[in-house]
Amino acid sequence: MRRARFEDGRQRIFRRAYNYDIPPGNGSVSDSGLIFVSFQADVDTQFTPLQKRLDELDLLNEWTVPIGSAVFAIPPGCAEGGYIGDTLLN
Ligand code: HEM
């Protein structure tokens, strides 16, 4: 948590985590994890510096295995009567 905490307020992100825990079948172990989702305006200046700090030193790394990542462009919402993405045209 300390490594994730921002000294620079411009790195603030909006986090949403989805836990999953698939029970073990015969002779196997459970498949448990966390899908980490964050929303930010700029991946390079907000998410990446934070991820680097955790990569350098996060004691949680001993217990987790990253299995994938992806970046999506999410358009802003719209006002009543508008449509998704309409603000991008202004
Ligand atoms: C297995 C994966 C992870 C676990 C179990 C985990 C767990 C936690 C927990 C328990 C907290 C403190 C409670 C809270 O504020 O929600 C926290 C805070 C935080 N985590 Fe994670 N986290 C994980 C991955 C990540 C990743 C991948 C990032 C970003 C690269 C991240 C960024 C943050 C941030 C920004 C905070 C708030 C720090 C603050 O207080 O300013 N976490 N995390």
Side-chain angles (χ1 to χ4, degrees):
M1 285 168 60
R2 182 63 190 95
R3 294 292 290 183
R5 182 168 283 281
F6 316 96
E7 304 298 338
D8 179 351
R10 288 172 299 183
Q11 287 181 13
R12 281 176 63 86
I13 59 175
F14 182 69
R15 290 176 292 139
R16 176 71 168 94
Y18 296 89
N19 294 315
Y20 61 91
D21 188 8
I22 300 166
N26 280 346
S28 67
V29 295
S30 67
D31 182 7
S32 305
L34 175 139
I35 299 173
F36 175 91
V37 177
S38 70
F39 298 87
Q40 57 278 306
D42 187 330
V43 173
D44 290 344
T45 60
Q46 293 173 275
F47 177 82
T48 305
L50 159 59
Q51 176 69 76
K52 280 185 176 162
R53 284 200 303 280
L54 296 183
D55 182 42
E56 286 164 6
L57 176 69
D58 180 3
L59 298 181
L60 193 62
N61 292 344
E62 189 179 334
W63 305 98
T64 60
V65 179
I67 56 173
S69 68
V71 176
F72 300 93
I74 312 286
C78 59
E80 194 173 337
Y83 57 88
I84 298 291
D86 63 357
T87 55
L88 298 175
L89 300 176
N90 297 329

